[in-house]
Amino acid sequence: MAQTQTAAVTIRVATKDDAQAAGKICYDAFSAISNAHNFPPDVPTLEVGIGIISALFTSPGFYCVVAEVGGRVVGSNCLDERSVIHGLGPITVDPSAQNLGVGRKLMEVVLGRSNERGAVGVRLVQAAFHNRSLSLYASLGFDIREPLSCMQGRTQQRSVAGCTVRKAESADLESCNALSHRVHGFDRGADLAHAIEEGSAKVVERGGSVTAYATDLAFFGHATAESNQDMQALIASAESFGGPGILVPSRNAELFRWCLSNGLRVTQPMTLMTSGLYNDPAGAYLPSILF
């Protein structure tokens, strides 16, 4: 992709050598906005920030860009291209480079890329207390679809009657992808296949069929289920949730109240936003921080 330059801001494709600088910005940016609103930061340490950005900048299926001003990296953005729906983020801008239009330029470049690649939709999750990002995404055509509650803890109920939770295997891919099509209208097969290979994926069996799966019960993991019962079985099986927690759709009152009654706590409110194709899910789900 050719460089895109407006005023003093240049956007280019990220390389692994950018991860150190972009990772520090990721840590600084999330810390600044979270601290300003008295919420725990999504990126708790500098090492975590560098680790997240390093993984994204080098992962197949992700398109990542950095913004530069005067040859200095001042922000980055990533696009998950592994499905017909693309997932966007994290987008971060150096707090010292605000008001230069860096965030908008980073968004416009990846949205242009997504359009070129023929994605039927793009989705993202933003911190509900971050008025600035909410306004930016809405102005770029994203619609608010679901309020989310980031939840952390360990459930008091450790299993659900009639549901068996086990590690997902490659042989489960077809069933899981079919389930995702029934619930969402599309699958995230590449994401799931990677999670199975990494050993983080789980499935629920009920009545002899796969009725739920999770790539991971974590901030960067997503889950899909036929029913709240199946989703409860997945959540109950976890000893802990990776990162800040799992993202529970707040309007799913039955699931949300079950989580609260089982001792999980809300750590922050978030918002699922979409552009392009969107179907109301025909089942229970937990989006990842990407979508």
Side-chain angles (χ1 to χ4, degrees), residues 257-286:
R257 277 194 287 266
W258 179 87
C259 290
L260 291 172
S261 67
N262 267 276
L264 301 189
R265 68 187 187 281
V266 177
T267 60
Q268 65 170 305
M270 308 196 85
T271 310
L272 175 67
M273 304 183 73
T274 75
S275 175
L277 177 69
Y278 181 80
N279 301 312
D280 284 324
Y285 75 107
L286 306 177

Side-chain angles (χ1 to χ4, degrees), residues 1 8 14 38 65 73 83 126 131 138 150 165-167 171 180 203 212 215 221 257 263:
M1 183 195 75
N38 294 316
V65 296
V73 173
S83 172
Q126 66 93 221
N131 299 344
C150 184
V165 182
R166 61 170 174 80
K167 181 172 287 191
S180 184
V203 297
T215 57
R257 277 194 287 266

Side-chain angles (χ1 to χ4, degrees), residues 104 132-142 273:
R104 180 174 290 273
R132 189 168 186 155
S133 70
L134 176 65
S135 301
L136 172 61
Y137 303 149
S139 71
L140 289 169
F142 283 82
M273 304 183 73

Side-chain angles (χ1 to χ4, degrees), residues 232-250:
Q232 289 164 5
L234 275 176
I235 295 171
S237 72
E239 293 298 321
S240 61
F241 305 128
I246 55 173
L247 303 179
V248 178
S250 306

Side-chain angles (χ1 to χ4, degrees), residues 123-175:
R123 302 185 184 185
L124 59 84
V125 173
Q126 66 93 221
F129 56 79
H130 193 180
N131 299 344
R132 189 168 186 155
S133 70
L134 176 65
S135 301
L136 172 61
Y137 303 149
S139 71
L140 289 169
F142 283 82
D143 299 328
I144 294 172
R145 294 298 185 182
E146 189 73 55
L148 305 169
S149 293
C150 184
M151 306 193 78
Q152 188 55 267
R154 183 178 185 270
T155 57
Q156 296 161 2
Q157 182 180 343
R158 304 304 301 149
S159 62
V160 173
C163 296
T164 300
V165 182
R166 61 170 174 80
K167 181 172 287 191
E169 303 171 351
S170 296
D172 297 312
L173 265 172
E174 183 177 354
S175 296

Side-chain angles (χ1 to χ4, degrees), residues 212-250:
Y213 79 86
T215 57
D216 197 3
L217 289 159
F219 208 49
F220 278 90
H222 77 271
T224 299
E226 282 188 0
S227 69
N228 284 334
Q229 177 187 4
D230 301 304
M231 186 61 72
Q232 289 164 5
L234 275 176
I235 295 171
S237 72
E239 293 298 321
S240 61
F241 305 128
I246 55 173
L247 303 179
V248 178
S250 306

